[in-house]
Amino acid sequence: PNVVKNNETGLIVEPRNSKALAKAIINLLDNPKKAKKFVENGYILVHKEFNLKITLEKLDKFVQTLSAT
């Protein structure tokens, strides 16, 4: 899963679009509550999707699919 989810854990801008990037940065600077919410949502997502237990479970399932073939 992607860590950056647009308007949930951050803002996604088109690659090589400096105007869109500047607009997104200004948006966050003008809206510190929104930026803080992105940080909080990102923290929750990372701990839910990327913690050691879940990562090991996903790895175990992957290895089992390899050994089944």
Side-chain angles (χ1 to χ4, degrees), residues 11-29:
L11 297 173
I12 297 175
V13 297
E14 188 177 320
R16 296 179 185 86
N17 187 337
S18 58
K19 288 183 182 182
L21 179 59
K23 185 177 178 181
I25 292 169
I26 291 168
N27 180 308
L28 292 176
L29 291 172

Side-chain angles (χ1 to χ4, degrees), residues 3-68:
V3 175
V4 179
K5 296 186 177 195
N6 199 35
N7 286 313
E8 289 182 39
T9 60
L11 297 173
I12 297 175
V13 297
E14 188 177 320
R16 296 179 185 86
N17 187 337
S18 58
K19 288 183 182 182
L21 179 59
K23 185 177 178 181
I25 292 169
I26 291 168
N27 180 308
L28 292 176
L29 291 172
D30 288 344
N31 298 287
K33 287 182 182 179
K34 183 178 193 177
K36 183 177 180 186
K37 190 65 178 171
F38 287 166
V39 170
E40 292 167 354
N41 290 345
Y43 182 84
I44 291 166
L45 176 69
V46 166
H47 281 271
K48 186 172 104 175
E49 296 291 331
F50 299 100
N51 71 54
L52 182 60
K53 180 181 178 193
I54 290 175
T55 302
L56 290 176
E57 288 172 359
K58 289 178 182 178
L59 180 61
D60 183 51
K61 286 180 185 177
F62 176 71
V63 169
Q64 287 179 15
T65 63
L66 293 178
S67 62

